[in-house]
Amino acid sequence: MRRLVVSILLLLLMAARMPAFAQQAAPPAAAADSVVATALADLGSGDYDRIRHGVSALAFSGDDRALAIIEALDAGTLYVRADHKLFLKSPSGAILDAATGKAAPDVMASGLHEVRVNNPVRSAMDAALGSLRLLSPDAATRTKAAEAVFHSHDPRALPTLEKAIARETNAAARRRETQARAAVVLFIPATPLPARLAAIATLRARGDLDARSLLDSLHNQPPEAAAAAHTAVAAIDRSLALWGVVQSIYFGISLGSVLLLAAAGLAITFGVMGVINMAHGEMVMIGAYTTFLVQQAIRAHWPDLFGASLIIAIPAAFLVSGAVGVVIERTLIRFLYGRPLETLLATWGLSLILQQGVRTMFGPTNQDVGTPAWMRGSIDVGGLSLTLNRLYIIVFAIAVLFALMAALRYTALGLRMRAVTQNRRMAAAMGIRTPWIDALTFGLGSGVAGIAGVALSQIDNVSPNLGQNYIIDSFMVVVFGGVGNLWGTAVAALTLGVVNKFLEPVAGAVLGKIVVLVLLILFIQRRPRGMFPLKGRAAEA
Amino acid sequence: MKTTLSTPLTLILVLGGAALMAALNLATPAGSAMHVPDYAIQLAGKYLCYAMLALAVDLVWGFAGILSLGHAAFFALGGYAMGMYLMREIGARGVYGNAILPDFMVFLGWNHLPWYWYGFNWLGFAVLMALLVPGVLAWIFGWLAFRSRVSGVYLSIITQALTYALLLAFFRNEMGFGGNNGLTDFKDIAGFPLQSAATHCGLLVISAVVLCGQFLLARALVASRFGKVLVAVRDAESRTRFLGYRPESYKLFVFVASAVMAGIGGALYVPQIGIINPSEFSPSNSIEAVIWVAVGGRGTLSGAILGAVLVNLGKTWLTGALPELWLFGLGALFIFVTLFLPKGIVGTLAQWPRRKRSAEAETETSRPAPLSETSP
C-alpha cells in the first residue's frame, strides 16, 4: 500500500519536473538500467541542476553501482571525459569505468576532469548517501545515514528505511531510523492521521532543535495533526529551555574550573604568602610550553606514548614552573617582602621579560599542542553534549584543588608553610628555615600554575600571551574568594564561571564580562576581604 | 623637602625646551642643521602629555599611597572627549560626506547621532567633558572604594579591573565610540589644520604651559596643609584617622584631582597623535605610567615629569633600533628600579648631599607606605 503511494507520488513529482525519470516507476531491470544510464548522462553533463537530479535518480534507482559512484562524487574522485563518459578512481588508485564498474586501464588520467559540485548538489548527495548507506553493515554509518534522511525527509527513502528498520539490531540506530521514518512520513500527503500523530509523538520524544524546526516547518497537515505538532513544539521549547539552563550551568562550571586552575597557584603565592605575583600568568604559560616541548619530544622519540603525553607533562610542567618560581623568589621577591606595591611592579617587569623571552625562543605564533585520542569527542547526556576535554579539565581542577589542600594540611612542608605564614619569628625560633620555606612555598604556587598550563594548553592557544588572559581573572577569583582560603577560591571560581555564562546569552560575551567585573568591583567595595575572610589575628598580619 | 632647585629647573626645561623646539621648527628651513623635524615636535608633544599622566599618578601614588593601575583610563577618557570633538569637526569632509554623523556611524548604518554625542561640536564643551568625565568617574569609584576602606593591593587590582572593563566596553561597536578602530582621520582643531607643523608647534607649547600649570598646582597642593595630611595618610592612615582627620575625604579629593589632570593630558594627546582607540585603556599602559613615576622618583613631582620623558625617549629609540629588545628593557627597568633605585632618579639625587650630613636622614625621607594598614 505505502509503496504504491510512494510510486504515485514519485510519478507526480517527476511528471512535474523531470520527464526523464518517468521510467523509474516501471520496475523491470531494463528500465532501471535506462534510469541509471540517464542519471550517468546527467552526472557527466557539467550542469549543476542536471547533476543534482542525476544524483537523486541514481540513489533511488536501487542499482548496486549507485553507492560507489556517489561516494566517488562526494570524495572528488569522480571524473568525466570530454565525451561525457564517467570514470571513478577506486581507493586503490585504479581508474574504473563508472557505467560498468570494470577497470579501464587505457584511459589517460590527463583527459579526465573532476565532476564539480555546488551546495545544492552537495545536499542532494548527503540525502542520497543517507538512503544508500541505511543498509550498511556498520551501525554508526546507519545511524548517520538515518540522520541524513531525517534532515532531507525525502519520501523516496522510505522503502529503504522500512527495510533497514525491519532488520535493525542496534538500539541507537533503530531510534534514529524510526525518527527518520517519522520525519519522512509527515511529508507524505497520503499518510493517515494515526500514523501522523504517532510520527509527531516520535519527534516530540526526540526533543532537540532539529525535531523542533522540522515540526515547525510542517504545513498542510490535518487539524488534529497540526494541533499535536503545535503542542509538541511547545513541549520541546520547554524542555530545551530547561536543558539550556543545565547547559549554562555546565559551561559555567567548565569556565569556573579553568579559573580555578589558573587561580589555585595564586591562592598560594598571593593568598598564603601575600606576594603579588603579576608574572603568575607567565608561570601558566611556561607550563603550557613545557607541555608543548614534552609532546615534541614524545612525537620525535616515542610516538607510541603520545596518549600519555599530557600525563607526563603534568609533573614536568610542575617541576619547570616550580623551579622558575624558586629562582624568582630567591633572586627577586625575597628582597621585596613587605613592599607589595614594589613587588607588583617588579613582577610585572618580570612577566614582560618572560613573555618576550618565550617570544624570542619560540616565535610569536601559536604552538600546536595535540590532544590525545582519549580526550577527544563528547558524550551525550539528555539534551547535553559534553565535550570530553572540558569534562577532564573539570575533574582535573577538582583533583588539583584537593591535592593542594592535602599538601598544605598533611605534609611536613605544608605544616611548615602554615607555621611560617602564621608566625614567622616563632617558626624560626622552632628551627624552621623560613627563607627556604618561602622559596618552596613560592615554588609550589608556581608549580601549580604550571600544571594549570598543561590543562589550558588543551583549550586555549599556546602563545606567549597565554598568561595575560588569565592574570586579572585569577586575581579577581582570589580576592573574591577571600585571601588565604582555598575553599573560598574554589567557590569564587565556580560562582564567577556560572554567573559569566548566565549573563552571556542575555548581555553578550563582552558585556557579560564587563557586568561581572563591575559586580566584582562593587562586591570588593562591600566586602574588601572577600567572601570568606580569614578571622583572627593572622588576618591582620 | 624637595630641593629648592628642582621647581625652577623643571619649569625652565619644559617651557624653554618646548618653545625652543617650536621656534627652531618654524623659523629654520627644512634642510638646515638647526631644524627640528616635524616628527620630533609631535614626539615631544606626546611626551609632555605622558608627563601629565605621570604627574597625576605621582600625586596619588607618591603622596597618598594609592597605587592606581588604572590611571590610563582617565587619560583615555579625556582623549575620547577630545576625539569626539575632532570627529564632529570633520563634518562633511568625511569619506561618506555626512555632515552630522562620523564616518564609522554611517558605516554601521546608524541614522542619528547618539545623545551622548550632542554638544561635542563645540570645543569648549569637549574640554569641559574631558575634565568632567574622568573626574566624575574617579569620584564615584573613589567614593565607593575609600569609604569602604579598600586600600593597598586590593585597590590596585580593582583599578586595573576598572580600566580592563572600560577596554572591553570601548571595543564594542554598539558603544558608539568607533569600536576597535577608535576615532581617527581628524582634519582640524578650532579651525587650525592638524596636518600643519604650525598647529603642532602650537599644541606643543600649549602642552608645555598646561604641564607647568599642573606641576605648579600639584606643588602648591602637596606643600599646603592638605598635602601634609595627605602624606600622613600615606604613612599611617589609622593614626591620622585617630587624630581626627577623615582620610577618605583627603584621598577622594586627590584621586579626583589626579583623574582630571590625567584627562587633560589625554585631551591634549589626541590631537597631536591623531588617533584614539580602546588600546589606550589597556592595563599595561597604566602600569607603564607607574614605572615612569618610579624611574623619576616617587613622591617627587619633577621626577614624574623627568621619568615620563626619559622612559619614553628610551622607548622611542629602542623600539626603532632594536624592537625585540624593548620589552626586555622595559621589564628590566621595572626590576632594576624597584630593587636598586627605590627613590627614583630625582629622589636619589636629592638625598645625596644629605646623606653626607647625617645618616639619620634616611628615616625621614619619603618611605613607601606600609601596605596593609589594618583598620579597626
Side-chain angles (χ1 to χ4, degrees):
Chain A
M1 163 73 198
R2 192 168 283 148
R3 190 161 297 196
L4 189 72
V5 171
V6 174
S7 308
I8 292 167
L9 184 83
L10 283 183
L11 263 177
L12 286 174
L13 260 174
M14 287 163 191
R17 296 213 48 191
M18 305 162 258
F21 296 161
Q23 298 124 323
Q24 204 201 351
D33 258 356
S34 77
V35 171
V36 173
T38 325
L40 289 182
D42 281 338
L43 286 181
S45 67
D47 176 71
Y48 285 134
D49 257 1
R50 283 185 64 194
I51 295 178
R52 185 159 57 87
H53 297 148
V55 167
S56 303
L58 193 60
F60 299 108
S61 66
D63 194 274
D64 295 337
R65 289 162 287 179
L67 184 61
I69 295 175
I70 297 178
E71 275 180 340
L73 181 62
D74 192 33
T77 52
L78 184 70
Y79 300 99
V80 61
R81 205 164 58 184
D83 62 354
H84 299 294
K85 262 184 82 88
L86 289 169
F87 297 90
L88 55 94
K89 198 194 268 173
S90 71
S92 61
I95 303 283
L96 308 177
D97 185 330
T100 60
K102 297 207 174 68
D106 51 332
V107 175
M108 301 293 290
S110 58
L112 299 179
H113 298 285
E114 195 180 308
V115 177
R116 301 170 59 128
V117 296
N118 63 358
N119 275 335
V121 174
R122 236 170 250 127
S123 55
M125 228 150 49
D126 287 343
L129 284 173
S131 102
L132 286 171
R133 286 174 176 161
L134 274 175
L135 301 173
S136 145
D138 174 40
T141 312
R142 290 200 301 274
T143 314
K144 257 171 125 176
E147 263 317 271
V149 172
F150 179 88
H151 286 289
S152 72
H153 46 75
D154 189 328
R156 288 173 293 179
L158 194 55
T160 333
L161 204 46
E162 297 280 8
K163 209 195 287 176
I165 293 173
R167 64 191 207 192
E168 186 56 73
T169 50
N170 179 301
R174 179 192 293 274
R175 200 170 60 238
R176 286 295 182 224
E177 283 160 11
T178 318
Q179 286 163 358
R181 181 175 61 185
V184 171
V185 158
L186 283 174
F187 282 86
I188 297 173
T191 310
L193 185 61
R196 253 175 220 289
L197 293 179
I200 290 172
T202 309
L203 293 180
R204 178 176 170 166
R206 177 177 161 131
D208 63 358
L209 264 182
D210 291 330
R212 188 199 179 281
S213 63
L214 194 116
L215 283 170
D216 214 28
S217 69
L218 288 177
H219 35 78
N220 296 334
Q221 297 288 323
E224 293 92 332
H230 194 72
T231 29
V233 167
I236 291 177
D237 278 344
R238 272 197 305 279
S239 92
L240 279 180
L242 195 66
W243 280 114
V245 172
V246 176
Q247 176 145 35
S248 291
I249 293 177
Y250 173 70
F251 282 165
I253 292 175
S254 170
L255 176 65
S257 68
V258 171
L259 290 178
L260 174 59
L261 275 173
L266 204 65
I268 302 286
T269 53
F270 176 50
V272 175
M273 299 178 74
V275 172
I276 313 293
N277 183 14
M278 295 305 271
H280 178 77
E282 278 57 49
M283 299 294 127
V284 176
M285 182 217 20
I286 289 174
Y289 271 89
T290 309
T291 315
F292 168 69
L293 288 179
V294 166
Q295 284 202 343
Q296 290 292 90
I298 287 179
R299 275 202 187 110
H301 302 292
W302 310 280
D304 302 340
L305 275 176
F306 189 74
S309 61
L310 288 186
I311 311 281
I312 299 170
I314 292 172
F318 181 83
L319 289 177
V320 172
S321 290
V324 173
V326 170
V327 171
I328 292 173
E329 201 277 342
R330 285 287 86 190
T331 55
L332 181 61
I333 289 172
R334 71 178 168 127
F335 301 110
L336 296 169
Y337 280 123
R339 292 159 63 192
L341 298 182
E342 277 84 349
T343 314
L344 191 157
L345 293 178
T347 49
W348 178 271
L350 185 70
S351 84
L352 292 181
I353 292 178
L354 288 174
Q355 275 179 42
Q356 188 61 23
V358 168
R359 201 172 285 132
T360 313
M361 274 197 285
F362 295 91
T365 48
N366 295 341
Q367 300 297 340
D368 172 39
V369 173
T371 308
W374 51 271
M375 273 187 82
R376 266 181 250 147
S378 60
I379 50 171
D380 291 314
V381 178
L384 280 185
S385 154
L386 313 180
T387 48
L388 278 180
N389 59 356
R390 292 269 173 183
L391 212 54
Y392 276 114
I393 287 177
I394 295 177
V395 174
F396 185 62
I398 296 170
V400 168
L401 179 72
F402 281 108
L404 205 52
M405 283 177 170
L408 282 183
R409 177 162 293 185
Y410 298 115
T411 65
L413 179 65
L415 182 69
R416 289 182 186 152
M417 279 179 196
R418 283 180 292 142
V420 170
T421 46
Q422 279 170 21
N423 193 329
R424 173 173 296 270
R425 291 172 65 191
M426 183 60 83
M430 304 296 278
I432 296 173
R433 293 184 173 196
T434 54
W436 273 113
I437 297 299
D438 290 335
L440 289 178
T441 312
F442 197 80
L444 175 69
S446 304
V448 171
I451 291 182
V454 179
L456 291 182
S457 73
Q458 293 301 308
I459 52 169
D460 207 335
N461 297 327
V462 178
S463 75
N465 300 331
L466 171 74
Q468 288 258 293
N469 307 333
Y470 293 98
I471 184 72
I472 292 186
D473 285 341
S474 307
F475 270 107
M476 286 292 148
V477 166
V478 176
V479 170
F480 182 43
V483 167
N485 187 331
L486 276 178
W487 278 117
T489 306
V491 173
L494 291 182
T495 314
L496 285 185
V498 171
V499 168
N500 226 326
K501 287 293 167 187
F502 268 92
L503 280 173
E504 253 176 37
V506 188
V510 175
L511 203 59
K513 207 167 165 73
I514 298 170
V515 171
V516 168
L517 276 177
V518 171
L519 286 179
L520 257 180
I521 293 174
L522 290 177
F523 176 85
I524 291 175
Q525 320 252 344
R526 283 260 111 222
R527 304 196 57 174
R529 301 280 161 199
M531 271 193 297
F532 306 104
L534 283 185
K535 297 207 169 62
R537 220 183 290 174
E540 290 167 17
Chain B
M1 175 184 78
K2 299 297 135 0
T3 51
T4 43
L5 204 62
S6 74
T7 305
L9 204 61
T10 310
L11 293 178
I12 290 168
L13 279 178
V14 170
L15 281 178
L20 190 66
M21 284 185 79
L24 286 180
N25 174 263
L26 293 178
T28 56
S32 144
M34 297 290 283
H35 183 71
V36 174
D38 293 352
Y39 75 85
I41 298 286
Q42 277 192 30
L43 274 180
K46 185 168 99 169
Y47 296 163
L48 293 188
C49 295
Y50 283 153
M52 293 180 212
L53 176 59
L55 208 55
V57 172
D58 195 20
L59 202 55
V60 287
W61 187 37
F63 293 92
I66 306 164
L67 175 55
S68 164
L69 296 184
H71 247 56
F74 303 124
F75 185 79
L77 284 173
Y80 263 98
M82 181 56 85
M84 286 161 82
Y85 158 73
L86 295 172
M87 217 60 191
R88 293 294 307 273
E89 187 77 359
I90 298 173
R93 285 169 293 171
V95 177
Y96 295 102
N98 192 315
I100 304 288
L101 294 184
D103 275 347
F104 73 88
M105 289 191 193
V106 182
F107 181 73
L108 288 175
W110 294 14
N111 42 28
H112 57 267
L113 204 63
W115 59 267
Y116 46 82
W117 275 76
Y118 292 157
F120 277 97
N121 39 347
W122 295 298
L123 179 58
F125 182 79
V127 170
L128 186 67
M129 283 297 132
L131 303 177
L132 269 185
V133 172
V136 168
L137 178 69
W139 187 79
I140 295 172
F141 185 85
W143 186 75
L144 284 166
F146 301 137
R147 197 192 46 147
S148 44
R149 297 186 191 170
V150 181
S151 61
V153 176
Y154 290 89
L155 190 76
S156 304
I157 289 172
I158 59 171
T159 51
Q160 188 171 20
L162 172 80
T163 189
Y164 186 57
L166 283 169
L167 168 77
L168 293 177
F170 274 76
F171 262 124
R172 289 162 48 84
N173 278 333
E174 296 84 350
M175 280 285 285
F177 295 107
N180 202 0
N181 300 323
L183 310 175
T184 187
D185 283 338
F186 308 134
K187 303 284 188 240
D188 55 28
I189 176 165
F192 299 101
L194 279 173
Q195 313 307 339
S196 90
T199 312
H200 279 290
C201 288
L203 284 169
L204 173 64
V205 171
I206 293 174
S207 303
V209 170
V210 171
L211 176 62
C212 289
Q214 290 192 353
F215 175 68
L216 288 176
L217 215 67
R219 252 202 83 79
L221 194 68
V222 298
S224 68
R225 209 181 97 90
F226 177 89
K228 299 270 183 281
V229 179
L230 210 56
V231 172
V233 169
R234 175 192 73 186
D235 291 342
E237 181 167 346
S238 302
R239 198 181 295 177
T240 316
R241 184 176 288 119
F242 299 150
L243 286 173
Y245 294 99
R246 294 176 60 91
E248 52 274 16
S249 313
Y250 286 85
K251 283 165 134 183
L252 185 59
F253 180 83
V254 77
F255 194 63
V256 172
S258 155
V260 171
M261 282 166 62
I264 297 173
L268 281 166
Y269 173 80
V270 170
Q272 306 191 63
I273 295 305
I275 184 169
I276 173 93
N277 61 25
S279 67
E280 296 292 337
F281 284 105
S282 83
S284 57
N285 278 19
S286 299
I287 297 194
E288 262 189 54
V290 171
I291 201 65
W292 304 335
V293 176
V295 167
R298 176 190 169 193
T300 66
L301 293 169
S302 48
I305 297 176
L306 180 72
V309 174
L310 274 187
V311 175
N312 280 297
L313 265 176
K315 180 178 186 172
T316 308
W317 173 72
L318 212 55
T319 45
L322 299 155
E324 288 275 296
L325 281 185
W326 160 241
L327 281 178
F328 284 127
L330 183 66
L333 193 62
F334 272 97
I335 296 173
F336 177 81
V337 167
T338 44
L339 282 185
F340 303 110
L341 208 64
K343 292 176 202 303
I345 297 171
V346 173
T348 310
L349 288 180
Q351 193 186 319
W352 239 357
R354 199 179 317 167
R355 185 179 280 171
K356 279 183 196 159
R357 277 207 305 274
S358 86
E360 215 178 62
E362 187 79 353
T363 52
E364 178 254 339
T365 46
S366 61
R367 283 181 60 80
L371 171 82
S372 43
E373 271 287 339
T374 53
S375 27

